Amino acid sequence: MSDLKSDKPGEGAATSSAPAAPPARPEPPKKPSYALKYTLKGHKKAVSSVKFSPDGKWLASASADKTIKIWGAQDGGYEKTLEGHSAGISDVSWSSDATMLCSGSDDKTIKVWNLESGECMSTLMGHSNYVFCVNFNPQSTLIVSGSFDESVRVWEVKTGKLLKTLPAHSDPVSSVHFNRDGTLIVSSSYDGLCRIWDTATGQCLKTLIDDNNPPVSFVKFSPNGKFILAGTLDSTLRLWNYSTGKCLKTYSGHKNEKFCIFATFSVTNGKWIVSGSEDNAIYIWNLQTKEIVQKLESHKDTVISVSCHPTMNIIASGALEKDKTVKIWRHQDSDDLDV
């Protein structure tokens, strides 16, 4: 994913009476125009997580049916199914080189998978309750996991060894994510807190808290690592400046009161915030102006997960039990060159 560069939220909001200089480069689009391209069927229960591989070749979907399915990112072609968990899977994550995946399950384990063989390489045991969220660090040497046991754990990929157990929260951990160089971990919880941790020492460096303290259902660093996007169960997404601890932007209009819905940054064609919603739609906001610029409708249940392709203008979405499908949405006027 490309950087959010120096586009600080808030820039461009001020108006000036001075004559505008001619733009040095083409203006990004005012509004996106995504359209449904493929509907991928195969999961027997709710889809829980969808993630494009960092090389842009594959799309992984995890499900309550205990499986992970791998699909072609561009054509939606079914590739393979990874099986081995004994209960539903809540999350899946790719290694940076796209050769491995990890998954977190209600069977209280994390599994590490080899993409090529489809085999489980290792099973990480230690959590005492459902594993709800997992992510590799950018170097893909570590996995961070969050659980209903209220802890965040850090594992060594090569040995499967548990390196750290962080007594992170006082309620289930809903989300965990490394920043771009892997030095920081952000975690979120139903306890209403977002916490930032030093990966090396396991120390809590900062706690972000909103005045009303709604349960935090999702969190992730922005591509450049300067900001944190957090979803809360009051149907709100907030963009925080990590270093100042200030909330810079608030995105609303979608519905999120019950489920831990994924949100993400879209940076391939303009700068958008993308999220699922409990009204069965996908919402896209302008990152700067906070306005809803597109609403994608086709799913028949809560859209729990969204993922943006790393280089092309493609969005993937996955929905819950009444739907069970993965959908691939493509920007209509995309001049995507595979280079």
Side-chain angles (χ1 to χ4, degrees), residues 48 62-68 84-92 102-111 113 123-124 127-134 145-149:
S48 56
S63 168
D65 68 10
K66 312 177 196 174
T67 72
I68 298 158
H85 278 297
S86 59
I89 303 169
S90 284
D91 201 6
V92 64
C102 66
S103 53
S105 166
D106 286 1
D107 66 15
K108 307 178 191 171
T109 73
I110 297 133
K111 286 186 182 289
W113 308 85
T123 301
L124 313 179
H127 279 295
S128 59
N129 207 330
Y130 308 145
V131 182
F132 198 66
C133 43
V134 288
S145 59
S147 165
F148 270 60
D149 67 14

Side-chain angles (χ1 to χ4, degrees), residues 2-9 25 28-30 32 223-224 227 251 264-274 284-291 293:
S2 64
D3 282 1
L4 280 179
K5 300 201 177 81
S6 63
D7 285 7
K8 296 186 194 72
R25 56 200 166 99
K30 294 279 183 289
N224 67 12
F227 309 109
Y251 308 92
T264 193
F265 297 86
S266 171
V267 293
T268 50
N269 184 34
K271 301 221 170 18
W272 320 114
I273 300 289
V274 184
I284 306 175
W285 292 264
N286 180 310
L287 184 141
Q288 300 289 355
T289 67
K290 307 174 286 186
E291 68 176 320
V293 287

Side-chain angles (χ1 to χ4, degrees), residues 190 214-217 231-236 256-260 278:
Y190 277 62
V216 188
S217 49
T232 44
L233 294 184
D234 57 355
S235 301
T236 308
N256 185 17
E257 297 166 355
K258 187 175 178 187
F259 298 106
C260 292
E278 288 160 16

